[in-house]
Amino acid sequence: MRSRRNANRKALNQRNRLIFLAVIIAAAILIIFGIWNLLSTDDSDPEDKSGSVTTEEGKNEKKPEPEYDYSKAVAESAQVGDDYFSDAIFVGDSRTEGFLLYSGLSNAVGYAHKGLRADTCFTDAVIHLNGSKVTVMDALRANPNFSKVYIMLGTNELGWVYPEKFVEGYTKVIDEIRGINPGALIYAESLIPVTSAKSASNETVNNERIRMYNEMIRQIAIDKKVLYLDVGAGLSDENGILPDEASSDGVHLNKAYCEKWLAYLKTHTVTKEEIDGAE
């Protein structure tokens, strides 16, 4: 009888030990699971150091990079030297011819001609190159290693009945330049205003038409993502008019104002890095 009680007691003790061991194991599992959850919980901000954003679905998406603001004219910047223009090409009409002749800038290439228009950049052989005459676009194709192009076109289109044809031609010029050298910086220069006397005496070459065309050029710059350079603002008076002292005929600039034009260009530049870093 006593041996039976001892056997029962031994069995009970063994069962209690098993229950105790099971409780210990269960508690250990709960503790380990809790610590694991604590360590794996992401208490960081939705935006991590890599620039990713955590969405509601829990996926990390790359934060969009800011784009360069082409809607604004090129802002004033630190002055550059003449060497900045050593890989630049200037495309324009007789005003650009005068600039290249009188500004003192001797290391830039100019594909400019009196009466040049956006459309005739493709059709008129007016540029002297290697002993022959070629179109502006053919000259650019023959010299594709430029890094900057300054365009001033539109003065000879001011009298057009359908200004949208100017937009079409100017856009084509930009597209063609991009096709020749996709990495080049393109500056779309605003048209320079004329003097008050010239504006009052001419039905087409006047400051009202120039302002209208400059708005079109600015919009082209936005649409095509090129740099709008408000040269006119740097050469006009407080009323947006070319001072009488700037020109003998009211349109073409004298030496002093061509030098002023160059000074404006030198203090209004954008680097490729600034654009690439913003996109």
Side-chain angles (χ1 to χ4, degrees):
M1 190 73 176
R2 178 178 290 180
S3 61
R4 181 178 292 180
R5 283 200 302 269
N6 288 338
N8 289 339
R9 188 179 294 114
K10 185 182 292 186
L12 180 62
N13 289 338
Q14 187 175 3
R15 187 178 62 182
N16 288 340
R17 281 196 298 271
L18 290 174
I19 293 172
F20 179 76
L21 182 60
V23 170
I24 293 298
I25 292 172
I29 291 172
L30 289 174
I31 291 170
I32 291 170
F33 187 77
I35 293 173
W36 176 262
N37 280 343
L38 183 63
L39 291 175
S40 63
T41 300
D42 183 9
D43 291 327
S44 60
D45 292 333
E47 181 180 343
D48 63 22
K49 293 181 180 179
S50 66
S52 297
V53 176
T54 303
T55 63
E56 292 180 0
E57 292 77 14
K59 296 179 180 179
N60 286 335
E61 294 180 356
K62 187 71 175 178
K63 185 171 66 174
E65 297 288 349
E67 289 191 355
Y68 184 88
D69 190 356
Y70 291 97
S71 67
K72 296 179 180 178
V74 174
E76 187 171 359
S77 59
Q79 182 173 317
V80 299
D82 285 2
D83 59 326
Y84 179 83
F85 304 97
S86 62
D87 56 0
I89 292 178
F90 287 81
V91 175
D93 52 36
S94 55
R95 277 178 153 179
T96 298
E97 281 188 309
F99 167 78
L100 293 167
L101 185 62
Y102 297 119
S103 67
L105 188 63
S106 60
N107 61 339
V109 175
Y111 296 150
H113 190 264
K114 180 180 179 181
L116 189 70
R117 305 190 309 258
D119 60 337
T120 58
C121 284
F122 296 87
T123 59
D124 291 7
V126 294
I127 305 301
H128 293 272
L129 189 68
N130 300 325
S132 61
K133 281 188 171 183
V134 299
T135 67
V136 168
M137 287 305 159
D138 285 338
L140 285 165
R141 292 187 197 100
N143 183 22
N145 296 321
F146 51 85
S147 295
K148 311 165 189 89
V149 180
Y150 287 82
I151 305 170
M152 184 180 282
L153 295 168
T155 300
N156 295 301
E157 292 98 314
L158 288 172
W160 283 11
V161 177
Y162 302 106
E164 60 270 19
K165 290 294 183 182
F166 166 70
V167 173
E168 199 176 290
Y170 201 110
T171 300
K172 188 179 177 183
V173 168
I174 292 172
D175 288 342
E176 189 69 19
I177 292 171
R178 281 235 171 98
I180 297 169
N181 188 337
L185 292 174
I186 300 176
Y187 289 93
E189 297 181 89
S190 70
L191 298 181
I192 300 167
V194 295
T195 62
S196 57
K198 179 67 177 180
S199 184
S201 64
N202 198 295
E203 292 183 0
T204 56
V205 184
N206 57 60
N207 289 325
E208 182 179 353
R209 293 284 291 182
I210 288 171
R211 282 190 288 271
M212 183 182 82
Y213 270 65
N214 281 341
E215 282 305 310
M216 290 191 290
I217 294 170
R218 181 190 285 271
Q219 189 57 52
I220 293 169
I222 295 170
D223 293 342
K224 302 305 296 183
K225 293 187 176 182
V226 300
L227 302 161
Y228 180 73
L229 198 54
D230 196 0
V231 176
L235 300 176
S236 58
D237 62 18
E238 64 276 6
N239 298 313
I241 297 171
L242 187 68
D244 292 339
E245 66 187 45
S247 173
S248 59
D249 65 359
V251 178
H252 299 92
L253 305 185
N254 56 30
K255 180 176 175 58
Y257 269 74
C258 283
E259 291 172 345
K260 192 173 182 180
W261 181 351
L262 176 58
Y264 186 87
L265 297 186
K266 285 183 174 182
T267 55
H268 291 77
T269 62
V270 176
T271 66
K272 193 75 167 56
E273 290 71 25
E274 287 178 281
I275 294 175
D276 291 343
E279 291 183 342

